[in-house]
Amino acid sequence: MEKMFKITAPEGLHARPAALLVSAATPFKADITLHFKEKTANLKSIIGVMAQGVAPGSTIVISTQGSDEAEALQAISDVIATKGIGEEC
Amino acid sequence: MLALKGIPVSNGVAIAKGYCLVEPDLSFSKITIQNNDAEIMRLNEAIEHSKIEIERMQAAATQKYGEDKGAIFGAHLLVLQDPELFVGVAQKIQSGMNAEHALDETVQFFIQMFEGMDNDYMKERAADIRDVSKRVMAHLLGVELPDYSRINEAVIIVAKDLTPSMTTQLDPTFVKGFITDIGGKTSHTAILARTMGIPAVVGAKSATMDIKHGEPLIIDGSTGEIFIQPNNEQIAQYKKVEEENKQFKQQLAKYSELKSISKDGYSVELAGNIGKPQDVASVLAAGGEGIGLFRTEFLYMDRLDLPSEEEQFTAYKEVLEALNGKPVVVRTLDIGGDKNLPYLNLPHEMNPFLGYRAIRLCLDHQELFRIQLRALLRASVYGNLKVMFPMIATLEEFRMAKTILEEEKEKLLLTDVPISTEIEIGLMIEIPSAAIIADLFAKEADFLSIGTNDLIQYTLAADRMNENVSYLYQPYHPAILRLVKMIIDAGHAEGKWVGMCGEMAGDKVAIPILLALGLDEFSMSASSILTVRSQLATLSKELLVPHVQKLLQLSTAQQVEQVVIDILK
């Protein structure tokens, strides 16, 4: 499963937003991947997410794969929407 | 009984054991291992122990300093649990590397990746990774990292330098003094020591090499002397000094209830400099008559993102309410120079003190500036707020800052938010161009405040962080005295009050001069207020004025200092 988001957090996917996403992703069994440009990162890895350097205004895709993939994608979408990180597109 | 000498930056004597914040040796050998599973178990144990430590530090920091400080350790926990990082280490162990070697190689890879990014924020993340992996490495090697939150007896901290994030973990009940290898009178350590009211000697060059952990020490924060393994005679002598200081402090206590007034009846206002709402208590305890400088950038430092309008509003409201109608001069964000905010991704500069900082940055990054101004305006109804813009060089800058403030005020009033009608707007005079046209600023400002730390560095063109030119940090230089006189006269000619919020305002030799020049408000560290008030009570302005005219004609700072000392005799 996957969804596309536009990042609106003024600092991009740094620090606080990255930490929020990783904290939301970690409890799930599913593999959760962040796709940005041609690169991918494990969304459970704070280092991996920050290393992508996702700037504000960028579009990213989050994909989930595994037994709880639907719940995982929902939880991450909720965090993105409610914590001012971005919006679905 | 070795003696060292450094720069005295915070008065008083401390006698206690040295606590060396020196990194332990984390070197390791590269071994090919046979039992991979046992090695992975060793790694996991080290990670588990590190996790417990970081969680403990997080809980302590959150309890003591709030969620923001806790969040920094939260980020460290995420790094510690990072699958990319530790899966990489485990793979290397599977291929036969010992855990230390595998950890080091993996971590170096990530650190280089982050450091290679052209972005200060990412460079800081390299520091997080280094910090966390250092802890895991220490557990693997069975050595202990310094943990200041565990200090439970009286100590004198000995370190290369103290960073803001280190000092937030220090418990003032046990920390009796600071010694650092580097730094000067206005370094972070110096300002912190004066705020905490504990003696400190900085710039002691080889202190961390010469002092062993746990060694008995004496430091004299008024002379810069450090005695290692003092003999009984020295201990007795300094115990006496300590006792005299204590008695002097007790005598000073009576001044906390008195007005700040010279022997011949001239009264001035003695205010305190603060960085956080928590600092207000010590200013009030010392009988401060207001806050002369609230350095708001401390609300922005040591955290992962910008403070929200609500957070700032709460902090300003707390300070204004605590002062109960006494004036509070809030300086808007003064970042840049020696104070950086990694999350803002500011460009690295060759000459940060002459660069993109303070009001320059705020006028360019208005979204950030407007949030702070809104928070201030909303808080204004809770007390006596005065807003001050830092590092103004031109009238245009001051006018633009005022216009933005006015725009935010109108927007808030349209939504029926109450705002005080009595807010005074002023500026810091700390750039020679502003000092020279202080008369023009005085027409458009409600008050002027002289920031001597920067005024001195800009007037003498000497970077105050550079030890090689620290001899040029000369508050009594005739050029500085003449500029200060110009600014005070310019303010008074327009009927405006003039304050001073740099280190000079609490300086024993400068005070008689400033009193004679007619300075209205002196703002300083809380720990200096009572000493200054007691000094004022011995001075006669009328007798000083004729001397000052002569002082302004002297040619060197040294002459000025000598003449003042002679007058005071």
Side-chain angles (χ1 to χ4, degrees):
Chain A
M1 298 180 75
E2 60 178 49
K3 265 188 194 174
M4 193 185 272
F5 299 92
K6 187 179 168 193
I7 299 303
T8 55
E11 64 270 51
L13 277 195
H14 288 166
R16 183 190 62 98
L20 287 169
L21 283 184
V22 173
S23 303
T26 303
F28 292 98
K29 286 194 209 79
D31 287 332
I32 308 177
T33 312
L34 162 78
H35 306 260
F36 174 60
K37 293 184 179 163
E38 275 79 53
K39 295 173 290 178
T40 60
N42 179 350
L43 201 67
K44 295 175 187 174
S45 162
I46 185 90
I47 295 175
V49 172
M50 290 199 303
Q52 302 285 320
V54 180
S58 315
T59 307
I60 59 162
V61 173
I62 306 273
S63 65
T64 57
Q65 195 179 16
S67 56
D68 50 3
E69 58 184 36
E71 295 93 319
L73 193 55
Q74 188 55 49
I76 289 157
S77 306
D78 289 347
V79 168
I80 291 179
T82 58
K83 304 286 183 183
I85 299 173
E87 53 204 27
E88 228 172 288
C89 56
Chain B
M1 196 197 76
L2 183 65
L4 297 175
K5 189 126 173 42
I7 305 166
V9 293
S10 182
N11 289 341
V13 166
I15 307 171
K17 277 198 249 176
Y19 190 96
C20 292
L21 286 181
V22 184
E23 300 298 326
D25 180 10
L26 292 180
S27 55
F28 58 89
S29 12
K30 298 176 182 176
I31 308 167
T32 308
I33 45 127
Q34 308 300 331
N35 189 343
N36 306 345
D37 291 344
E39 198 66 1
I40 290 201
M41 205 181 313
R42 216 159 66 78
L43 173 73
N44 287 338
E45 273 173 18
I47 293 174
E48 196 49 42
H49 282 131
S50 305
K51 188 176 163 215
I52 294 168
E53 276 174 7
I54 298 175
E55 281 173 345
R56 192 172 52 72
M57 284 159 64
Q58 182 183 29
T62 308
Q63 194 205 355
K64 247 194 217 163
Y65 306 104
E67 293 286 330
D68 299 336
K69 291 287 175 294
I72 289 176
F73 294 105
H76 284 190
L77 279 177
L78 286 178
V79 171
L80 188 65
Q81 291 157 5
D82 197 301
E84 299 284 303
L85 183 62
F86 288 102
V87 165
V89 181
Q91 277 168 356
K92 286 185 198 288
I93 292 176
Q94 290 297 358
S95 74
M97 276 188 197
N98 60 330
E100 289 87 346
H101 187 190
L103 176 69
D104 184 59
E105 262 200 7
T106 315
V107 164
Q108 288 310 329
F109 169 77
F110 283 111
I111 287 176
Q112 273 168 22
M113 181 175 82
F114 278 97
E115 280 187 340
M117 294 185 186
D118 187 22
N119 172 323
D120 275 352
Y121 182 77
M122 285 302 175
K123 286 182 183 153
E124 288 277 317
R125 302 289 65 81
D128 286 346
I129 298 172
R130 191 177 283 127
D131 222 45
V132 170
S133 64
K134 208 166 67 186
R135 188 165 295 279
V136 178
M137 184 66 89
H139 280 293
L140 284 173
L141 294 168
V143 297
E144 218 170 311
L145 291 179
D147 176 359
Y148 359 115
S149 66
R150 270 197 182 155
I151 297 173
N152 56 8
E153 58 176 338
V155 295
I156 293 169
I157 300 285
V158 184
K160 197 162 188 314
D161 193 14
L162 293 173
T163 64
S165 57
M166 282 160 91
T167 48
T168 54
Q169 295 178 57
L170 296 173
D171 186 340
T173 343
F174 300 120
V175 175
K176 299 300 168 199
F178 293 138
I179 302 172
T180 60
D181 287 350
I182 58 173
K185 274 205 183 293
T186 57
S187 64
H188 174 80
T189 308
I191 290 173
L192 183 93
R194 289 191 293 265
T195 306
M196 290 170 75
I198 63 174
V201 178
V202 303
K205 297 203 170 79
S206 59
T208 51
M209 308 278 280
D210 297 334
I211 299 169
K212 289 186 202 67
H213 188 74
E215 249 180 337
L217 299 175
I218 295 177
I219 65 168
D220 185 336
S222 41
T223 61
E225 281 170 307
I226 301 166
F227 301 96
I228 305 172
Q229 301 238 3
N231 58 31
N232 290 339
E233 202 179 318
Q234 286 169 321
I235 295 177
Q237 180 197 341
Y238 277 93
K239 279 237 160 94
K240 214 176 122 209
V241 177
E242 206 181 18
E243 186 55 35
E244 282 165 9
N245 286 347
K246 216 169 106 190
Q247 281 178 6
F248 179 62
K249 264 193 187 158
Q250 279 167 356
Q251 282 170 13
L252 281 183
K254 71 171 186 226
Y255 286 97
S256 65
E257 303 292 323
L258 300 177
K259 288 218 178 305
S260 310
I261 192 162
S262 72
K263 202 161 100 185
D264 55 344
Y266 286 91
S267 62
V268 297
E269 187 181 304
L270 292 190
N273 295 344
I274 62 166
K276 295 248 166 85
Q278 296 91 292
D279 302 340
V280 167
S282 48
V283 173
L284 291 176
E289 289 150 308
I291 300 299
L293 173 63
F294 181 176
R295 300 182 168 104
T296 55
E297 52 279 6
F298 284 96
L299 300 175
Y300 292 70
M301 289 163 77
D302 272 334
R303 46 184 294 149
L304 301 169
D305 50 11
L306 287 168
S308 66
E309 181 182 323
E310 216 47 46
E311 264 179 273
Q312 294 192 57
F313 165 73
T314 311
Y316 304 146
K317 175 171 176 261
E318 191 181 335
V319 172
L320 285 162
E321 284 183 335
L323 266 292
N324 197 16
K326 289 177 187 165
V328 176
V329 181
V330 178
R331 175 173 75 186
T332 60
L333 184 60
D334 184 4
I335 214 69
D338 57 336
K339 296 187 226 91
N340 191 12
L341 297 180
Y343 53 80
L344 285 184
N345 299 326
L346 298 174
H348 183 74
E349 300 194 326
M350 294 290 285
N351 292 300
F353 278 113
L354 299 180
Y356 189 54
R357 57 172 289 212
I359 199 70
R360 303 169 178 188
L361 192 136
C362 284
L363 293 177
D364 193 41
H365 271 284
Q366 287 190 19
E367 70 290 353
L368 195 138
F369 191 38
R370 286 177 191 268
I371 289 174
Q372 180 172 41
L373 295 178
R374 274 202 301 273
L376 279 169
L377 289 165
R378 284 173 52 206
S380 65
V381 287
Y382 296 95
N384 182 357
L385 173 69
K386 300 175 195 302
V387 177
M388 172 163 84
F389 301 119
M391 226 207 159
I392 297 279
T394 67
L395 271 170
E396 288 92 329
E397 283 172 338
F398 184 58
R399 286 177 187 154
M400 192 167 161
K402 278 209 302 186
T403 307
I404 295 172
L405 181 73
E406 205 50 46
E407 282 170 10
E408 289 309 314
K409 194 195 263 183
E410 274 162 31
K411 277 192 239 164
L412 285 172
L413 287 173
L414 278 177
T415 53
D416 288 329
V417 174
I419 294 171
S420 164
T421 51
E422 317 268 302
I423 308 173
E424 288 186 12
I425 314 290
L427 69 149
M428 255 177 115
I429 306 268
E430 50 188 337
I431 298 182
S433 66
I436 293 165
I437 58 164
D439 56 330
L440 303 178
F441 280 111
K443 289 193 203 323
E444 302 186 19
D446 297 316
F447 66 92
L448 309 175
S449 184
I450 310 171
T452 54
N453 301 351
D454 276 336
L455 185 63
I456 296 167
Q457 85 162 341
Y458 293 134
T459 303
L460 286 113
D463 183 342
R464 60 184 161 97
M465 305 305 278
N466 184 339
E467 285 161 43
N468 295 326
V469 294
S470 64
Y471 73 97
L472 285 171
Y473 184 84
Q474 297 184 358
Y476 323 130
H477 189 290
I480 300 299
L481 298 187
R482 290 184 194 189
L483 283 178
V484 167
K485 181 177 191 309
M486 268 177 67
I487 300 165
I488 296 174
D489 290 348
H492 289 176
E494 294 294 331
K496 309 292 167 66
W497 65 270
V498 181
M500 179 178 284
C501 54
E503 291 303 321
M504 196 174 166
D507 183 300
K508 204 173 171 198
V509 172
I511 285 163
I513 309 176
L514 298 172
L515 173 72
L517 290 176
L519 188 74
D520 303 292
E521 181 230 39
F522 297 62
S523 192
M524 60 200 71
S525 317
S527 59
S528 304
I529 293 177
L530 291 181
T531 316
V532 174
R533 190 172 289 156
S534 71
Q535 189 193 359
L536 273 172
T538 66
L539 299 173
S540 163
K541 185 175 172 181
E542 300 288 353
L543 292 180
L544 286 167
V545 170
H547 288 294
V548 166
Q549 293 308 330
K550 272 182 269 162
L551 281 176
L552 289 167
Q553 304 306 321
L554 294 175
S555 21
T556 69
Q558 227 181 352
Q559 286 175 342
V560 171
E561 184 171 7
Q562 195 50 55
V563 170
V564 175
I565 290 171
D566 290 342
I567 296 171
L568 293 182
K569 267 180 195 160

